[in-house]
Amino acid sequence: MEVIDYFSGSSKKMIDFFQNLEPVTQALLGTVFTWGMTALGASAVFMSKDISKRALDGMLGFAGGVMISASFFSLLAPAIEMSEGKDIPAWFPAVVGFLVGGIFLGGIDKVLPHLHFGSPIEKAEGIKTTWKRSTLLILAITLHNIPEGLAIGVAFGAVATGFPSATLPAAIALAVGIGIQNFPEGLAVSMPLKRDGMSSLKSFWYGQLSAIVEPIAAVLGAIAVNIAKPVLPYALGFAAGAMIFVVVEEVIPESQNNGNADLATMGAMVGFAIMMVLDVASG
């Protein structure tokens, strides 16, 4: 009971602290936390020379599960609820935003030079360049972090609009969930860089740097929904579509490519369940 009371008290203090801040500041702090979790994962290069493919696949599956769960419980479901009772079908803003988000990320995927982990440099995607393999690997994980930051920014921005389905505890839970899955993402960047011959310090630096886009995307998302509140359901759907694109196009396939499909699948289920509990328990 004392442990439960401790965590309940800590959660209340955190919510009280965030309530006194502007939405943009809330989003910024939330993504500074997720950035820090990426850095924590990347710091593993100082303690280990490598990580097994099996462990990495399990963690990637976990990250994918968190992102899928967050896309529905934290983004699509609130978007649909906010649209009820309007002149258009309740599903319309969520569906339009979802599809546009996927198309947007698909466009970035076609343009931004990047390389999926475990792939030879000849399989690099996006505009052809002479950039090094390490640069292309960093850009691949950076692509993951754009929709994650945007989702957190939109979630915190939505709280200020007064919609009953957009609550501060839910926005904090989303930031915590994405932060948890950012740990293996940071690890997934730094370890391959070290394996390719980069020093531990440089591997850590570039690993954590891949998440710098999250605070930027979060601030832009929070500003956008506060300037134009009617676009909020569309913005929530957009963030969900962008995240699902990344999961289906990259995270899940990468986790399944090395003969560890069962472990990766269980990791995805655990990640989905944890994010679901965080979101539903937060109200």
Side-chain angles (χ1 to χ4, degrees), residues 58-85:
M59 287 189 288
L60 284 174
F62 175 86
V66 170
M67 293 172 75
I68 293 170
S69 185
S71 296
F72 176 74
F73 291 102
S74 300
L75 301 171
L76 290 175
I80 293 170
E81 187 175 338
M82 290 173 189
S83 304
E84 291 175 349

Side-chain angles (χ1 to χ4, degrees), residues 240-266:
M243 283 215 289
I244 291 297
F245 180 91
V246 169
V247 174
V248 176
E249 198 270 343
E250 186 170 346
V251 178
I252 296 299
E254 283 183 20
S255 72
Q256 302 276 329
N257 275 341
N258 300 303
N260 301 308
D262 288 346
L263 177 64
T265 301
M266 287 306 302

Side-chain angles (χ1 to χ4, degrees), residues 221-237:
I223 291 173
V225 297
N226 276 279
I227 291 176
K229 293 180 181 179
V231 306
L232 178 56
Y234 296 90
L236 289 167

Side-chain angles (χ1 to χ4, degrees), residues 15 29 32 86 88 143 145 187 195 200 215 219 225 240 281:
I15 293 170
L29 287 179
V32 166
K86 303 292 177 62
I88 56 175
L143 187 64
N145 291 321
L187 189 62
R195 197 183 304 130
S200 296
V219 167
V225 297

